[in-house]
Amino acid sequence: MNYPWHNKDDNNTLLNNGLPVFYTKPDSTLLRNGKPFFVPNELGRVEGQAELVVRINRLGKGIPERFAHRYYDAFTVGVNFVAVDVLQRLRSSGLPWDAAVVFDQSAAIGEWVPKDQLPPVQDLHFSLDINGQRVQEGCTAQMVHSVDALVAHISRYMTLRTGDILFTGTPSPATTVAIDDHIDGTVDVMGVLHFNVK
């Protein structure tokens, strides 16, 4: 809920303008190095949502927002996969979302780009293409909560460690993925993410 389209009701009112909402994924969810994503048929329809991803580069707990920029050193684009049929069932039953969002390989990430090679963090453009067609694009300037605010907030509850990564929210509606799709992602027009769906 960190971009306006995902954070408004039917009256165009922000649903959450207070604290950021976040959840965690284990490292078994990571998909990297261009390896294919295998659609888990038993989970029903799966959607992918493009997100800017931040790499944490030092240990931190209770980080003040004004110092948060010292705790990350690179960015990439990632795809957060969600089993939407499972999610709807869990939500309607008031149950935790884990089965819908933390299944194996549900967090694809691209190649890291050092932050000193990119524009300022709150002026980063990123996009996602499926089979050569643009399906999502966004700019971090649209975020409800900035990257620094996210780092500071999460570090209040859990220690951030070197190598942790932070998906920062999706800017527009997610897209259903299917077998034989080819996915590409960019940060600041640099192609950093490329993989196939099997």
Side-chain angles (χ1 to χ4, degrees):
M1 299 176 68
N2 199 30
Y3 285 84
W5 84 269
H6 199 191
N7 193 22
K8 291 183 179 181
D9 62 18
D10 292 337
N11 297 316
N12 212 37
T13 301
L14 284 179
L15 296 173
N16 175 35
N17 55 7
L19 298 176
V21 175
F22 69 94
Y23 58 89
T24 60
K25 289 195 176 201
D27 59 7
S28 59
T29 64
L30 279 178
L31 178 67
R32 49 191 158 189
N33 301 322
K35 293 181 179 177
F37 172 69
F38 290 91
V39 178
N41 293 326
E42 68 277 8
L43 297 183
R45 184 163 56 98
V46 173
E47 290 184 346
Q49 47 194 44
E51 305 192 25
L52 183 80
V53 184
V54 180
R55 184 174 70 189
I56 301 300
N57 68 333
R58 59 192 295 191
L59 189 72
K61 172 70 175 172
I63 303 166
E65 185 174 339
R66 68 184 182 278
F67 297 134
H69 64 279
R70 300 178 181 177
Y71 288 82
Y72 54 86
D73 65 351
F75 304 103
T76 191
V77 68
V79 179
N80 184 19
F81 289 107
V82 178
V84 291
D85 295 334
V86 176
L87 180 60
Q88 289 169 357
R89 290 197 299 270
L90 293 171
R91 278 179 168 170
S92 65
S93 301
L95 296 172
W97 298 0
D98 296 44
V101 296
V102 299
F103 53 93
D104 286 354
Q105 299 187 326
S106 61
I109 59 171
E111 299 173 9
W112 295 106
V113 181
K115 69 178 182 181
D116 59 7
Q117 296 179 18
L118 291 166
V121 61
Q122 294 309 139
D123 193 27
L124 287 175
H125 293 262
F126 59 100
S127 65
L128 190 74
D129 293 354
I130 297 182
N131 303 324
Q133 299 295 316
R134 182 65 40 89
V135 294
Q136 286 189 291
E137 57 187 341
C139 178
T140 53
Q142 302 163 341
M143 285 180 166
V144 176
H145 303 285
S146 70
V147 170
D148 288 356
L150 293 175
V151 169
H153 177 70
I154 292 170
S155 76
R156 291 174 55 193
Y157 300 93
M158 61 187 68
T159 300
L160 293 175
R161 299 180 182 276
T162 302
D164 283 349
I165 64 174
L166 173 63
F167 280 65
T168 58
T170 192
S172 57
T175 302
T176 300
V177 297
I179 293 172
D180 294 330
D181 280 347
H182 178 74
I183 295 178
D184 297 289
T186 67
V187 174
D188 193 41
V189 307
M190 287 187 281
V192 294
L193 179 68
H194 313 279
F195 66 97
N196 295 313
V197 179
K198 301 285 189 180

